PDB file of all heavy atoms in Angstrom:
ATOM      1  N   ASN E  74      16.283 -34.086 149.879  1.00  0.00           N
ATOM      2  CA  ASN E  74      16.290 -32.861 149.106  1.00  0.00           C
ATOM      3  C   ASN E  74      15.390 -31.827 149.721  1.00  0.00           C
ATOM      4  O   ASN E  74      14.342 -31.539 149.198  1.00  0.00           O
ATOM      5  CB  ASN E  74      15.935 -33.127 147.641  1.00  0.00           C
ATOM      6  CG  ASN E  74      16.161 -31.912 146.795  1.00  0.00           C
ATOM      7  OD1 ASN E  74      16.997 -31.057 147.068  1.00  0.00           O
ATOM      8  ND2 ASN E  74      15.432 -31.869 145.648  1.00  0.00           N
ATOM      9  N   PRO E  75      15.732 -31.272 150.890  1.00  0.00           N
ATOM     10  CA  PRO E  75      14.851 -30.403 151.616  1.00  0.00           C
ATOM     11  C   PRO E  75      14.611 -29.126 150.965  1.00  0.00           C
ATOM     12  O   PRO E  75      15.473 -28.594 150.229  1.00  0.00           O
ATOM     13  CB  PRO E  75      15.542 -30.204 153.011  1.00  0.00           C
ATOM     14  CG  PRO E  75      17.004 -30.472 152.745  1.00  0.00           C
ATOM     15  CD  PRO E  75      17.020 -31.520 151.612  1.00  0.00           C
ATOM     16  N   ALA E  76      13.417 -28.557 151.102  1.00  0.00           N
ATOM     17  CA  ALA E  76      13.073 -27.226 150.677  1.00  0.00           C
ATOM     18  C   ALA E  76      12.271 -26.531 151.749  1.00  0.00           C
ATOM     19  O   ALA E  76      11.170 -26.971 152.115  1.00  0.00           O
ATOM     20  CB  ALA E  76      12.226 -27.335 149.369  1.00  0.00           C
ATOM     21  N   TYR E  77      12.859 -25.532 152.380  1.00  0.00           N
ATOM     22  CA  TYR E  77      12.293 -24.943 153.567  1.00  0.00           C
ATOM     23  C   TYR E  77      11.490 -23.686 153.365  1.00  0.00           C
ATOM     24  O   TYR E  77      11.830 -22.873 152.589  1.00  0.00           O
ATOM     25  CB  TYR E  77      13.469 -24.670 154.621  1.00  0.00           C
ATOM     26  CG  TYR E  77      14.065 -25.940 155.164  1.00  0.00           C
ATOM     27  CD1 TYR E  77      15.326 -26.300 154.806  1.00  0.00           C
ATOM     28  CD2 TYR E  77      13.309 -26.755 156.020  1.00  0.00           C
ATOM     29  CE1 TYR E  77      15.917 -27.486 155.350  1.00  0.00           C
ATOM     30  CE2 TYR E  77      13.863 -27.892 156.542  1.00  0.00           C
ATOM     31  CZ  TYR E  77      15.111 -28.270 156.179  1.00  0.00           C
ATOM     32  OH  TYR E  77      15.636 -29.412 156.725  1.00  0.00           O
ATOM     33  N   GLN E  78      10.355 -23.672 154.075  1.00  0.00           N
ATOM     34  CA  GLN E  78       9.441 -22.520 154.073  1.00  0.00           C
ATOM     35  C   GLN E  78       8.906 -22.371 155.526  1.00  0.00           C
ATOM     36  O   GLN E  78       8.817 -23.353 156.284  1.00  0.00           O
ATOM     37  CB  GLN E  78       8.282 -22.780 153.176  1.00  0.00           C
ATOM     38  CG  GLN E  78       8.580 -22.785 151.677  1.00  0.00           C
ATOM     39  CD  GLN E  78       8.800 -21.365 151.052  1.00  0.00           C
ATOM     40  OE1 GLN E  78       8.433 -20.385 151.675  1.00  0.00           O
ATOM     41  NE2 GLN E  78       9.179 -21.393 149.867  1.00  0.00           N
ATOM     42  N   PRO E  79       8.581 -21.109 155.903  1.00  0.00           N
ATOM     43  CA  PRO E  79       7.983 -20.952 157.257  1.00  0.00           C
ATOM     44  C   PRO E  79       6.687 -21.725 157.328  1.00  0.00           C
ATOM     45  O   PRO E  79       5.838 -21.700 156.426  1.00  0.00           O
ATOM     46  CB  PRO E  79       7.681 -19.452 157.302  1.00  0.00           C
ATOM     47  CG  PRO E  79       8.672 -18.841 156.377  1.00  0.00           C
ATOM     48  CD  PRO E  79       8.825 -19.832 155.236  1.00  0.00           C
ATOM     49  N   GLY E  80       6.499 -22.518 158.419  1.00  0.00           N
ATOM     50  CA  GLY E  80       5.304 -23.314 158.616  1.00  0.00           C
ATOM     51  C   GLY E  80       4.308 -22.510 159.428  1.00  0.00           C
ATOM     52  O   GLY E  80       4.431 -21.303 159.648  1.00  0.00           O
ATOM     53  N   PRO E  81       3.313 -23.173 159.931  1.00  0.00           N
ATOM     54  CA  PRO E  81       2.300 -22.486 160.847  1.00  0.00           C
ATOM     55  C   PRO E  81       2.945 -22.031 162.152  1.00  0.00           C
ATOM     56  O   PRO E  81       3.970 -22.480 162.543  1.00  0.00           O
ATOM     57  CB  PRO E  81       1.255 -23.614 161.118  1.00  0.00           C
ATOM     58  CG  PRO E  81       1.985 -24.928 160.904  1.00  0.00           C
ATOM     59  CD  PRO E  81       2.977 -24.629 159.786  1.00  0.00           C
ATOM     60  N   ASP E  82       2.347 -20.952 162.703  1.00  0.00           N
ATOM     61  CA  ASP E  82       2.863 -20.380 163.911  1.00  0.00           C
ATOM     62  C   ASP E  82       2.502 -21.256 165.104  1.00  0.00           C
ATOM     63  O   ASP E  82       1.399 -21.189 165.710  1.00  0.00           O
ATOM     64  CB  ASP E  82       2.275 -18.943 164.112  1.00  0.00           C
ATOM     65  CG  ASP E  82       2.873 -18.262 165.320  1.00  0.00           C
ATOM     66  OD1 ASP E  82       3.804 -18.789 165.915  1.00  0.00           O
ATOM     67  OD2 ASP E  82       2.343 -17.138 165.705  1.00  0.00           O
ATOM     68  N   LEU E  83       3.456 -22.108 165.478  1.00  0.00           N
ATOM     69  CA  LEU E  83       3.219 -23.086 166.577  1.00  0.00           C
ATOM     70  C   LEU E  83       3.595 -22.584 167.913  1.00  0.00           C
ATOM     71  O   LEU E  83       3.344 -23.287 168.931  1.00  0.00           O
ATOM     72  CB  LEU E  83       3.923 -24.387 166.242  1.00  0.00           C
ATOM     73  CG  LEU E  83       3.640 -25.116 164.914  1.00  0.00           C
ATOM     74  CD1 LEU E  83       4.342 -26.395 164.821  1.00  0.00           C
ATOM     75  CD2 LEU E  83       2.108 -25.293 164.791  1.00  0.00           C
ATOM     76  N   ALA E  84       4.277 -21.427 167.984  1.00  0.00           N
ATOM     77  CA  ALA E  84       4.765 -20.929 169.249  1.00  0.00           C
ATOM     78  C   ALA E  84       3.895 -19.726 169.758  1.00  0.00           C
ATOM     79  O   ALA E  84       4.373 -18.975 170.562  1.00  0.00           O
ATOM     80  CB  ALA E  84       6.213 -20.554 169.194  1.00  0.00           C
ATOM     81  N   ALA E  85       2.687 -19.625 169.251  1.00  0.00           N
ATOM     82  CA  ALA E  85       1.857 -18.498 169.626  1.00  0.00           C
ATOM     83  C   ALA E  85       1.572 -18.585 171.129  1.00  0.00           C
ATOM     84  O   ALA E  85       1.282 -19.632 171.659  1.00  0.00           O
ATOM     85  CB  ALA E  85       0.561 -18.562 168.871  1.00  0.00           C
ATOM     86  N   GLY E  86       1.727 -17.400 171.804  1.00  0.00           N
ATOM     87  CA  GLY E  86       1.390 -17.327 173.221  1.00  0.00           C
ATOM     88  C   GLY E  86       2.635 -17.596 174.058  1.00  0.00           C
ATOM     89  O   GLY E  86       2.563 -17.462 175.288  1.00  0.00           O
TER      90      GLY E  86
END
Side-chain angles (χ1 to χ4, degrees):
N74 189 24
Y77 289 111
Q78 295 278 351
D82 184 8
L83 302 184

